[in-house]
Amino acid sequence: MSNMGARVARMFRNFNLENRVHREISKEKPRAAPRYEANLPPSAGSSEAVETADSISQKNDPLLTLLKSVYVESKDPAEDSKDVTAGDEAERRPLRFSLPGEPYGLVELKDVPKGKLTIVEALKALGSHQRQPETWTPGKIAQEYSLDLKDTKALLEFFVPFQVHIIPPKTDSAKQIKAS
């Protein structure tokens, strides 16, 4: 069906194509806007050009002395990144909780930057706060994981760990999956 639609569209597109092309070609072309005439005497323009060429080729002593006083110091960007990583390594903390790495296809981490959490640590902190909010206060969590108190409060307010609710069947005759 779509093949027929393509044929109809092609037929309308090509209808009277040659006449439309000839009509477009025979139209008068738009004229360009007139140029603004400059009323300069012919001698003034040429002498100014000569003066400009002379001033370009001459040396300007004050500018040369200023240029000689300029000192440019460049650094290798790779060295700067090494300095940044060295500073980050000093501000790292050991992990509190982690999953074994290889069976789950994860890289086993030894430490994380201060102010950051792994997913396992975040879930542990959120779960602890949910079970015992009076013991695991935002201040204690922030201190335990080297976090900012404001970020910790936002984490506890806006993120909730998953909860699994097992709803028992209404009748005893319903099939249930037994734990093995």
Side-chain angles (χ1 to χ4, degrees):
M1 198 59 148
S2 64
N3 191 13
M4 186 169 181
R7 286 182 183 174
V8 172
R10 191 178 316 115
M11 186 177 68
F12 279 114
R13 188 176 60 230
N14 294 337
F15 176 75
N16 203 10
L17 181 68
E18 192 171 335
N19 288 342
R20 288 186 287 151
V21 168
H22 283 295
R23 188 178 330 126
E24 198 64 36
I25 290 174
S26 65
K27 282 185 183 177
E28 285 188 33
K29 305 296 181 265
R31 293 187 319 162
R35 295 192 178 269
Y36 179 76
E37 294 181 18
N39 295 331
L40 292 176
S43 62
S46 62
S47 67
E48 187 176 304
V50 170
E51 289 174 11
T52 307
D54 290 340
S55 66
I56 288 175
S57 63
Q58 291 177 351
K59 291 184 180 179
N60 191 338
D61 290 328
L63 290 179
L64 272 177
T65 55
L66 287 175
L67 186 60
K68 288 178 182 177
S69 67
V70 173
Y71 178 73
V72 178
E73 187 177 306
S74 65
K75 295 181 181 178
D76 187 13
E79 291 176 8
D80 290 342
S81 65
K82 289 177 186 173
D83 294 340
V84 170
T85 55
D88 287 345
E89 289 174 5
E91 301 230 359
R92 296 182 76 84
R93 63 169 182 80
L95 288 179
R96 301 275 182 212
F97 306 99
S98 66
L99 292 173
E102 290 305 317
Y104 301 105
L106 303 171
V107 176
E108 189 171 341
L109 297 173
K110 304 289 185 217
D111 56 358
V112 293
K114 287 189 176 183
K116 306 279 184 187
L117 286 176
T118 63
I119 293 176
V120 176
E121 288 177 328
L123 290 175
K124 183 76 172 170
L126 289 169
S128 299
H129 176 73
Q130 191 175 25
R131 284 190 303 274
Q132 302 169 337
E134 60 280 340
T135 306
W136 288 94
T137 62
K140 182 176 180 183
I141 293 173
Q143 180 184 5
E144 188 79 16
Y145 294 102
S146 302
L147 299 172
D148 185 33
L149 183 61
K150 182 182 83 164
D151 294 339
T152 306
K153 286 180 181 178
L155 175 77
L156 295 175
E157 181 180 349
F158 295 111
F159 293 96
V160 177
F162 294 112
Q163 296 177 350
V164 177
H165 294 284
I166 300 174
I167 302 171
K170 294 181 180 177
T171 62
D172 292 335
S173 62
K175 289 185 176 182
Q176 292 185 356
I177 298 174
K178 303 287 185 195
S180 56

